[in-house]
């Protein structure tokens, strides 16, 4: 039976049918009497430690979801950004739809989303997104986007149309939006917030010292101001940092303190993984104990919820945060 192929920009993952999977497991060292394995040709600094484990995409739920996304002409950050958790999340029917097309106007050095000149926004996309999420019957989901610096409002009006379409179709759905920085335009942020998403998320990604190198066309100060503005509007706010890019522990702690000063509610901390040799190299693999320590410290600072671990991404396990978001919303009036 032919193999199924999952294409990404930086690599090709070969996913075998169920009857071939047993053979794969045997050749990985589980076969009795066999201990041989192919040597790891990557530089030692790029070899992933034992605690970095990715689940290969497999199963009918995964491929059915992939087919439906394609039928509706939608994009997901799970595929476009080569997320290592796609196999685990999609088999739970947990996906992050990416609106405003599949081509970004920015060239962040950590991200696998293609950079280029995008097409105009699809006016049917908001309804397609609402249809997809309605079919899945989700209780909580995340929508994100590419950066659209080519649009006067950065795509804010399209964002608002998408949020409203989803809310009409799935009024009980807790909707988290993960937006760009709109070049610091708080009016564009207001357009998004006026459509009433349940969570407003925007990622700082790294510490101030590394921000320009990692995100190129963005800045820490601008992203911080966007989060501060959203919080001043009464939004439940969320942000995330990647670790392992060369930041120091004291720099991370300083960022956490600054985030709590403006009342950010939800924090994610995860390991940066290099999508391809063309991206920023990993400076170090942060051990799980450090993620645990930072989680403890963040909770002590007052963050209501923290996801911290090597495989954590901004949307990782977001589908399990519904009750947390509802409790935050109730406590804020």
């Amino acid at each position: 039976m032919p193999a199924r192929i999952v294409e990404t920009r930086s690599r090709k993952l070969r996913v075998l049918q169920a009857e071939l999977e047993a053979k794969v497991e045997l050749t990985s060292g589980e076969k009795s009497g066999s201990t041989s394995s192919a040597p790891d040709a990557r530089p030692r600094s790029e070899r992933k430690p034992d605690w970095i484990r990715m689940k290969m995409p497999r199963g009918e739920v995964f491929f059915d979801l992939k087919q439906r996304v394609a039928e509706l002409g939608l994009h997901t950050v799970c595929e476009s950004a080569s997320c290592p958790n796609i196999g685990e999340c999609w088999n739970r029917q947990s996906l992050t739809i990416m609106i405003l097309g599949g081509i970004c106007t920015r060239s962040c050095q950590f991200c696998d989303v293609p950079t280029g000149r995008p097409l105009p926004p699809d006016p049917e996309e908001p309804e397609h997104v609402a249809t997809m999420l309605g079919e899945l019957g989700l209780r909580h989901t995340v929508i994100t986007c590419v950066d659209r610096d080519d649009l006067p409002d950065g795509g804010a009006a399209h964002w608002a149309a998408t949020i409203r379409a989803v809310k009409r179709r799935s009024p009980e759905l807790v909707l988290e939006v993960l937006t760009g920085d709109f070049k610091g335009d708080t009016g564009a942020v207001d357009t998004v917030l006026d459509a009433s998403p349940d969570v407003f998320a925007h990622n700082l990604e790294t510490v101030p010292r590394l921000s320009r190198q990692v995100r190129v066309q963005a800045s820490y100060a601008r992203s911080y101001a966007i989060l501060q503005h959203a919080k001043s509007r009464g939004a439940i706010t969320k942000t995330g940092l990647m670790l392992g890019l060369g930041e120091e522990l004291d720099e991370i702690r300083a960022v956490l303190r600054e985030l709590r000063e403006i009342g950010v509610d939800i924090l994610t901390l995860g390991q940066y993984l290099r999508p391809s040799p063309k991206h920023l190299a990993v400076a170090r693999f942060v051990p799980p104990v450090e993620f645990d320590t930072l989680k403890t410290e963040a909770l002590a600072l007052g963050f209501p919820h923290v996801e911290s671990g090597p495989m954590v991404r901004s949307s990782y396990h977001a589908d399990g945060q519904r009750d947390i978001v509802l409790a935050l919303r109730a406590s804020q009036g």
Side-chain angles (χ1 to χ4, degrees):
M1 185 175 293
R4 283 175 170 174
I5 303 299
V6 179
E7 300 283 358
T8 71
R9 190 180 112 193
S10 61
R11 64 185 182 275
K12 180 183 291 183
L13 301 178
R14 185 172 297 274
V15 185
L16 303 180
Q17 298 284 13
E19 53 264 46
L20 298 180
E21 292 171 0
K23 295 181 182 179
V24 174
E25 293 174 354
L26 288 176
T27 58
S28 68
E30 295 183 11
K31 186 175 180 180
S32 176
S34 174
T35 58
S36 63
S37 61
D40 190 340
R42 290 171 296 176
R44 183 172 300 276
S45 61
E46 290 292 328
R47 296 177 189 173
K48 296 179 178 62
D50 292 342
W51 60 80
I52 302 293
R53 286 289 177 264
M54 308 173 200
K55 295 184 179 180
M56 288 290 284
R58 64 181 68 187
E60 292 305 313
V61 173
F62 174 88
F63 287 107
D64 287 348
L65 190 56
K66 180 176 176 64
Q67 180 178 350
R68 189 60 177 138
V69 167
E71 288 171 351
L72 289 170
L74 298 175
H75 299 274
T76 69
V77 75
C78 321
E79 296 172 294
S80 296
S82 303
C83 180
N85 298 317
I86 188 171
E88 176 186 351
C89 293
W90 280 32
N91 276 307
R92 297 201 319 266
Q93 292 191 314
S94 175
L95 78 169
T96 299
I97 290 175
M98 187 171 70
I99 64 171
L100 290 162
I103 298 177
C104 189
T105 55
R106 298 189 184 181
S107 54
C108 296
Q109 297 302 294
F110 66 90
C111 184
D112 206 24
V113 174
T115 301
R117 183 178 299 172
L119 296 171
D122 178 2
E124 296 183 358
E125 185 177 57
E127 291 300 330
H128 286 170
V129 171
T131 297
M132 180 80 191
L133 296 178
E135 288 177 357
L136 292 175
L138 304 177
R139 301 174 69 242
H140 184 295
T141 199
V142 182
I143 299 175
T144 190
C145 66
V146 290
D147 279 296
R148 293 299 301 260
D149 294 332
D150 59 315
L151 301 175
D153 67 347
H158 192 85
W159 259 115
T162 303
I163 295 167
R164 292 189 174 104
V166 170
K167 289 289 188 177
R168 284 195 302 270
R169 178 67 183 262
S170 306
E172 299 302 315
L173 176 71
V174 171
L175 178 59
E176 176 182 322
V177 299
L178 174 58
T179 79
D181 63 12
F182 300 107
K183 290 186 175 179
D185 181 0
T186 55
V189 176
D190 288 337
T191 298
V192 174
L193 293 176
D194 287 345
S196 300
D198 296 289
V199 180
F200 180 89
H202 174 64
N203 286 335
L204 290 175
E205 306 294 8
T206 189
V207 299
R209 177 175 58 85
L210 300 175
S211 188
R212 184 64 69 179
Q213 175 190 4
V214 172
R215 300 197 294 159
V216 186
Q217 296 103 320
S219 77
Y220 179 91
R222 190 162 69 190
S223 289
Y224 184 84
I226 289 295
L227 288 165
Q228 186 175 35
H229 178 76
K231 193 62 193 177
S232 72
R233 285 282 313 272
I236 296 171
T237 51
K238 176 178 177 179
T239 195
L241 297 173
M242 300 177 295
L243 307 188
L245 285 162
E247 70 288 331
E248 300 293 336
L249 191 57
D250 286 346
E251 291 179 301
I252 301 169
R253 287 170 171 150
V255 171
L256 300 190
R257 289 193 296 270
E258 290 179 354
L259 290 172
R260 276 312 295 159
E261 286 175 3
I262 58 173
V264 169
D265 301 287
I266 301 173
L267 173 70
T268 63
L269 301 171
Q271 170 71 52
Y272 166 65
L273 297 176
R274 192 182 196 184
S276 81
K278 297 180 180 180
H279 294 78
L280 284 173
V282 176
R284 77 180 183 111
F285 289 100
V286 180
V289 65
E290 286 191 35
F291 281 103
D292 293 341
T293 298
L294 286 169
K295 178 176 181 176
T296 299
E297 293 180 7
L299 290 172
L301 287 173
F303 284 96
H305 185 71
V306 179
E307 292 280 350
S308 181
M311 300 305 293
V312 167
R313 298 295 179 267
S314 17
S315 302
Y316 189 57
H317 288 174
D319 53 325
Q321 295 171 18
R322 174 186 169 87
D323 291 342
I324 296 162
V325 172
L326 293 177
L328 287 170
R329 193 165 67 190
S331 67
Q332 294 177 7

